[in-house]
Amino acid sequence: MKTKKIQNLDGFTGTILIPVFETNAKSIVPIEFHGTTVSSKVFYGKKDTHYLVEKYDCTHVFIGLGKEMDYKSLKTIFRRIAAKQKDIFTTSVALVVPQEFDSNQVEATLSGLVLGTYNLGHYKKSEEHPFLNADFELQFISKNDVEDAIAKGIKIAKAQLETFNLVDLPPNKVNPKYLANWASETGKQYGFDVTVFGKEKSHAVGLHSFLSVGKGSANEPQFIIMDYNPGNTKKHIGLVGKGITFDTGGLNIKTAGMVQMKCDMAGAAAVLGTMQLVADLQLPYRVTAIVPACENSVDAHSFMPSDVIQSYAGHSIEIIDTDAEGRLVLADGLSYLIKNYKPETVIDLATLTGSAVGTFGYECAALFTNNDTLAKNLQQSGDAIGERMWQLPLWDAYKPDIESEIADVKNYSGKPVAGAISAAKFLEFFTDEHKSWAHLDIAGVAFGDDEFAKTKHATAYGVHLITKFIENL
Ligand code: BES
Ligand code: ZN
Ligand code: ZN
């Protein structure tokens, strides 16, 4: 989306977006803008309401902001307008930026408008959103310098839209190769290096735990390494994203909820979107990210419950359940990242357990870390933009859950309790006692229901959160 600052609305024809702070339903002073008045009886700026007035060849859209707005609700207000009022955007569009808006609010507004272009109907015949037309230019009026916040809001939403696509497109399209190609192309476009290990190279390198999961699939596993290094960096961050492009459960085949398992690469998609955004914003930090991508399928070659497999770290793993596959690919991703790149902070994102969904539902991710500063910083970054998380313990009292009699460790306790915690304990085992590692179980928050579609779809949880966390370092 292109944008252009205009000084006033003289001679403007088209659609004017006018955000309005809530007054009072009983106010006798009408809302007034550009010679157009609206009685408080019909509109007074209440949150989640809007009112259209056609006058002087213009469609005035008064948009209710409520009295207090957080980042996420502001973004949703504008996403809703863009998504549900498509027809009013086929002309010129001008946005009136309230003088009271700070840069975060301007950013949220623009992000919302751009996210409103998203259409889940990837394979349906439908018209493109007017904002996506190459010639479309959003005009804006502001008394303040808002250009940077506007540009940033658009960049954030662009990265989130990419993440939406990656998660929502079907698994027969988004297979491991698709993710690898996406990374390579995006790396070229935005400026980060990408290396991909296929099956043979992964074997030679020793990524045996990762390879075990993909054994039953016709699609070759891809171990994707991305490195954004702008030079003279203050800090080095490492990211790992679970990239199971479809999770059938393997031989422990899923008996419930399999249809949603195209979302099992949402951690990967969050990491990929974050790489685009960090590079697009040219943040002065080195970020190295790993996406172990493969498909957990059923076949004569599939790995089996009771198999004992090897891992990159040299620890043997007893497979109790082939549906606990995410931790196996993350184990090698984490070990490889930590051993070869030694980042100061490591964060992994994964749709790891049903247990995290059972605990927090769809509102909040489960956070695991032994580093209090890291916990605080992640939580603050998330709270600022409405991507919530809550910490769960990594106490050693849970360690017996992953102790095996035949191998160094096992991939599942076999008990239907504390699933998110024992999964995190398993990951911790592969972090080589890293002093600044955090795991985010995003199974409940990556893919959900909202007003924008009838079926569950991607939320891009993590893209803005991790970028903001890095920015705040
Ligand atoms: N991909 C699933 C977790 C999941 C559940 C993601 C719901 C998104 C929504 C994961 O691989 C899995 O199957 N976990 C099992 C582990 C169990 C077999 C130890 C689970 O949580 O039930
Ligand atoms: Zn699984
Ligand atoms: Zn899974």
Side-chain angles (χ1 to χ4, degrees), residues 242 244 247 249 254 260-261 263-264 296 321-327 351-357 411-413 419 441-444:
K242 173 177 173 182
I244 302 296
D247 183 12
K254 282 188 185 294
Q260 281 161 14
M261 285 303 135
C263 82
D264 217 17
N296 190 18
D321 195 311
T322 60
D323 200 8
E325 84 298 337
R327 62 200 75 181
T351 47
L352 204 60
T353 66
S355 159
V357 191
N411 80 330
Y412 175 42
S413 66
D441 191 333
I442 60 169

Side-chain angles (χ1 to χ4, degrees), residues 199-218:
K199 193 170 154 186
E200 222 172 282
K201 177 75 180 173
S202 296
H203 188 80
V205 168
L207 300 164
H208 304 298
S209 182
F210 163 62
L211 285 174
S212 297
V213 176
K215 271 170 68 187
S217 170

